[in-house]
Amino acid sequence: MDLTLWKDKLDAYLDPQEGDMLRLLERIVNMDSFTTDAQDVDQLGTVLTDWLREAGFQTFMMPKTEAPADEPWQADLGHVFMAKTHGREAEPGIVFLGHMDTVFPKGTAQARPFKIEGDRATGPGVADMKAGLVANLFAARALKRLGLIDCPMTLMFSPDEELGSPSASRTLAQVLPGARAAINSEPGGPGGLVTVSRKGSGHMFLKVQGKASHAGRCYADGASAILEIAHKTLAIDTFLDLDRGLTVNTGLISGGVSANSVAPWAESRIHLTYRTLEDGQKVVAGIRDAVSRTVIPGTSASISGGLRLYPFERCEAGDKLFGLVKDAGELLGMSIKGQHYDSASEAGFSSSLGVPTICNMGPEGEHIHSLNEYLVPSSIVKRCKLIALTALQASRVFQPGK
């Protein structure tokens, strides 16, 4: 494999496109795409796939899969979008993974739009992971137009990764098997960091039903859902084990109708992370058992959800792919370093299907999910080339389903 020849062709093609990359990034950062705002997320998917269609890709808004009976809200999430160089039934080949949703509610983009000051770009989702989407688009188009790659390419755009890809994972399960490799362009770490392992995640939704009554006149006639959910929250928190890499966090809680009424309802959302699938399964089982135990007579509870994104664990094929990333980085003058990342991504899902996977290949940034989130604009072209050179090597090293 002549990496130097490939690099020279990519240099000539991609170097003049930095301005185009940043303009597309500005456009999509200034589009709100909060996970639960399906219309906004789908509008972003349309922009991305229209761009790829103009580049000669076949594009698809994938049909929604059936939502679980205990989580019907999944039906209201956005669609998975897909683009392919070959027919829909062709092997997936090299898969470029990315998610369209952000954690920032509608109106955030207008309040603090895309901005570049020096070598720092800001705006909602600029690093996580709209810059990664741009890098995937330009890398795939470069490989196609230069005629360098000899197998199919598939680009996947998920609408709900920030919730653990509950609906997207069902579509990915249909598309990813047999892929030669998966490149996930979550934000790269400053200084050439990419990710070779990540924790898994889970999301659970707890509902408690109580009985309303006047809190002053007939308190004993009621059954407080808020008191019950408080007991359950404390019981759930006992599964926290930082030394083991287990986090269990009740991040949202609500309930009741007024201060002088015994609360007839309460609900909470729980997020968990874990290093191994076995640990994740044990925690979910433990949480379900804790929820089944009633403390306040007259209340009842139900819990839905569970494990979402599986952990991205080290394996021989993944390490082999990481070696290809290092080779590409060396040629590009980048000192690539592998890291473990203490949160989940769709890299864990592709890896769990036996697909050689690498994560955090996108342009470099930090402080994601916060007002201080930023991207290093000067990294966007280099990371785009890193993705392209890795995809080229992987297309020749790995065979379908192996």
Side-chain angles (χ1 to χ4, degrees), residues 199-204 246-249 270-274 279-281 283-284 287 306-309 344:
K199 292 166 74 174
S201 71
H203 290 258
M204 305 185 80
L246 287 169
T247 64
V248 181
N249 179 61
I270 303 145
H271 175 261
L272 57 107
T273 66
Y274 48 94
D279 275 353
Q281 291 169 333
V283 171
V284 168
I287 290 173
L307 300 188
R308 295 293 194 215
L309 294 170

Side-chain angles (χ1 to χ4, degrees), residues 117-135:
E117 293 181 339
D119 198 17
R120 181 166 291 201
T122 56
V126 65
D128 185 25
M129 62 171 289
K130 292 188 174 179
L133 299 178
V134 170

Side-chain angles (χ1 to χ4, degrees), residues 208-213 222-227 255-258 261-266 299:
V208 176
Q209 186 68 39
K211 182 181 178 182
S213 68
S224 175
I226 285 179
L227 281 180
V257 293
S258 69
S261 298
V262 175
W265 69 275
T299 63

Side-chain angles (χ1 to χ4, degrees), residues 21 24-25 28 129-139 380 384:
M21 293 180 193
L24 178 59
L25 179 60
I28 66 174
M129 62 171 289
K130 292 188 174 179
L133 299 178
V134 170
N136 279 350
L137 263 61
F138 277 81
I380 194 166
C384 186

Side-chain angles (χ1 to χ4, degrees), residues 181-202:
I183 298 172
N184 191 323
S185 295
E186 291 270 352
L193 288 173
V194 300
T195 296
V196 294
S197 64
R198 298 183 71 137
K199 292 166 74 174
S201 71

Side-chain angles (χ1 to χ4, degrees), residues 14-31 47-48 51 113-123 125-127 130-139 141 362-364 374-384:
L14 289 171
D15 283 347
Q17 297 184 45
E18 181 180 44
D20 292 339
M21 293 180 193
L22 292 173
R23 281 185 286 274
L24 178 59
L25 179 60
E26 178 177 16
R27 180 183 179 188
I28 66 174
V29 168
N30 288 341
M31 296 176 66
V47 168
L48 298 173
W51 191 96
F114 179 83
K115 181 172 63 175
I116 296 180
E117 293 181 339
D119 198 17
R120 181 166 291 201
T122 56
V126 65
K130 292 188 174 179
L133 299 178
V134 170
N136 279 350
L137 263 61
F138 277 81
R141 185 176 72 171
E364 297 175 7
Y374 74 88
L375 172 82
V376 179
S378 62
S379 70
I380 194 166
V381 174
K382 253 186 181 177
R383 285 284 182 153
C384 186

